[in-house]
Amino acid sequence: AQKVTQAQTEISVVEKEDVTLDCVYETRDTTYYLFWYKQPPSGELVFLIRRNSFDEQNEISGRYSWNFQKSTSSFNFTITASQVVDSAVYFCALSAPNNAGNMLTFGGGTRLMVKP
Amino acid sequence: KAGVTQTPRYLIKTRGQQVTLSCSPISGHRSVSWYQQTPGQGLQFLFEYFSETQRNKGNFPGRFSGRQFSNSRSEMNVSTLELGDSALYLCASSLGYGTISDEQYFGPGTRLTVT
């Protein structure tokens, strides 16, 4: 069975601070994919990144960066110089092949509040 | 390219009634998945359809069902509604040809309130 844990339920920062959202996952599969999604107040989940289990390179996209470490089963997400528009709920998710198709297992989410 | 659309956006129903929610995927996408989001249980997978066939199913009672049409549009139905069915129901579409690696694009959701 797969499991994703986001231990931080809520984080509050002041604009321009850096913030890291933690994600720890469990799976017995050697091939799997990890995702991060953003859910603004409108409710729609917005895709941010996908990472496969064989690619441990860190990735940077503008103010966003992701650190994938298989040794600790973690896939953490850092926002540099946070902005008010970053306020949202962020979900980490896992997809693994012991399920047919496209099932995502989500973590509980981290609510990020960025104050001006 | 139009995104995933879901109708209706909001719905209020009474216990015991049934409800049908609709999802139109992104053009060219053949896989449609449904998720339930509640404050207590978070985001949970309901089922996935690909080429009109249910390909995967989550751990929900038989009151929850779905189908997919030849144009890839999908509907989900909940019969004999219970208070606990109040949730945001999210639909996601993907190309569907891959399995675990497809990027899923989510719609805005249908917020169902059961009274």
Side-chain angles (χ1 to χ4, degrees):
Chain A
Q2 290 81 42
K3 185 178 179 181
V4 177
T5 302
Q6 295 179 254
Q8 306 148 309
T9 54
E10 199 167 289
I11 300 176
S12 180
V13 299
V14 176
E15 206 169 20
K16 297 184 183 176
E17 281 186 24
D18 298 347
V19 58
T20 295
L21 310 182
D22 298 332
C23 172
V24 173
Y25 62 91
E26 294 176 31
T27 179
R28 294 177 184 169
D29 298 289
T30 55
T31 301
Y32 51 89
Y33 280 76
L34 295 163
F35 302 79
W36 275 95
Y37 282 87
K38 173 182 179 181
Q39 187 176 41
S42 60
E44 185 171 338
L45 284 168
V46 178
F47 169 82
L48 294 178
I49 190 172
R50 175 187 61 194
R51 173 68 65 200
N52 76 56
S53 53
F54 298 105
D55 183 1
E56 287 194 71
Q57 275 194 329
N58 291 334
E59 181 154 340
I60 298 174
S61 176
R63 297 184 297 108
Y64 295 170
S65 62
W66 291 269
N67 180 259
F68 175 32
Q69 291 192 342
K70 284 180 76 171
S71 60
T72 56
S73 297
S74 65
F75 186 42
N76 297 336
F77 172 33
T78 297
I79 302 175
T80 302
S82 60
Q83 300 176 1
V84 173
V85 293
D86 295 327
S87 297
V89 181
Y90 291 85
F91 291 94
C92 180
L94 167 71
S95 183
N98 63 335
N99 301 299
N102 281 320
M103 171 181 166
L104 288 172
T105 299
F106 285 91
T110 297
R111 181 179 299 278
L112 174 64
M113 292 178 291
V114 182
K115 299 177 181 177
Chain B
K1 205 174 196 181
V4 178
T5 58
Q6 292 186 245
T7 56
R9 291 293 311 279
Y10 302 91
L11 207 48
I12 300 175
K13 289 287 188 178
T14 304
R15 269 180 303 175
Q17 288 185 316
Q18 75 164 18
V19 67
T20 299
L21 312 181
S22 181
C23 172
S24 293
I26 292 171
S27 177
H29 285 191
R30 295 177 61 187
S31 167
V32 173
S33 298
W34 290 89
Y35 292 83
Q36 181 197 64
Q37 185 176 22
T38 60
Q41 299 299 318
L43 274 158
Q44 293 185 291
F45 173 78
L46 279 156
F47 29 65
E48 182 208 4
Y49 286 86
F50 177 73
S51 293
E52 302 179 63
T53 301
Q54 188 179 87
R55 185 159 73 170
N56 206 355
K57 189 178 190 303
N59 189 26
F60 277 82
R63 299 185 297 107
F64 291 81
S65 62
R67 61 177 175 169
Q68 186 179 34
F69 302 95
S70 58
N71 62 358
S72 295
R73 189 177 70 86
S74 176
E75 290 180 346
M76 68 163 280
N77 183 275
V78 188
S79 61
T80 320
L81 284 166
E82 300 177 0
L83 294 179
D85 297 333
S86 295
L88 180 66
Y89 289 88
L90 292 162
C91 164
S93 80
S94 67
L95 288 171
Y97 295 102
T99 53
I100 68 169
S101 65
D102 270 357
E103 291 176 25
Q104 294 192 46
Y105 296 87
F106 284 81
T110 294
R111 185 163 296 282
L112 172 65
T113 302
V114 182
T115 61

